[in-house]
């Protein structure tokens, strides 16, 4: 049985701090309705939610967001972030 060395950096605290910073930025950037929508999407499509969160955090840190993102604006961001669905049409002869 192996015990962790006391010299190793605590990664749990670092991950927790990064998650707290991420949540703080999202609270400032998103309206309450938009945050609720993003949290709902996180339950269904976590990869889409993570991609949109990274985009919003990047825009916020660069100062490119004029104010809070409304629910309608978040819907537009989500639509543009999703991959277009392809329709397949099968013709029987």
């Amino acid at each position: 049985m192996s015990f962790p060395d006391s010299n190793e950096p605590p990664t749990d605290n670092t991950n927790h701090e990064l998650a707290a910073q991420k949540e703080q930025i999202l609270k400032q950037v998103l309206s309450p309705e938009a945050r609720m929508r993003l949290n709902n999407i996180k339950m269904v499509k976590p990869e889409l939610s993570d991609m949109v969160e990274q985009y919003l955090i990047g825009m916020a840190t660069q100062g490119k967001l004029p104010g809070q993102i409304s629910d309608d604006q978040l819907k537009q961001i989500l639509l543009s972030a999703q991959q277009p669905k392809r329709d397949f049409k099968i013709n029987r002869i």
Side-chain angles (χ1 to χ4, degrees):
M1 192 162 164
S2 169
F3 292 103
D5 294 334
S6 59
N7 296 338
E8 291 180 8
T11 55
D12 262 358
N13 289 341
T14 306
N15 290 339
H16 182 67
E17 289 174 10
L18 290 174
Q21 288 175 350
K22 180 175 156 181
E23 287 301 316
Q24 184 64 29
I25 291 172
L26 290 174
K27 279 182 184 179
Q28 293 173 354
V29 170
L30 296 172
S31 69
E33 295 85 14
R35 283 184 52 224
M36 190 182 314
R37 180 176 301 277
L38 193 59
N39 286 335
N40 289 341
I41 290 171
K42 186 179 280 192
M43 287 187 262
V44 179
K45 294 184 178 181
E47 62 282 346
L48 176 63
S49 167
D50 290 339
M51 185 171 58
V52 170
E53 285 177 355
Q54 292 301 321
Y55 170 75
L56 292 172
I57 290 170
M59 294 292 282
T61 55
Q62 293 175 6
K64 293 186 178 180
L65 293 178
Q68 277 197 336
I69 301 290
S70 69
D71 189 38
D72 290 332
Q73 291 170 323
L74 181 63
K75 285 180 189 178
Q76 293 299 319
I77 293 170
L78 289 166
L79 286 173
S80 66
Q82 287 181 334
Q83 298 293 327
K85 293 183 180 179
R86 295 183 180 176
D87 286 335
F88 293 99
K89 190 173 183 181
I90 299 173
N91 293 329
R92 294 185 182 192
I93 300 175

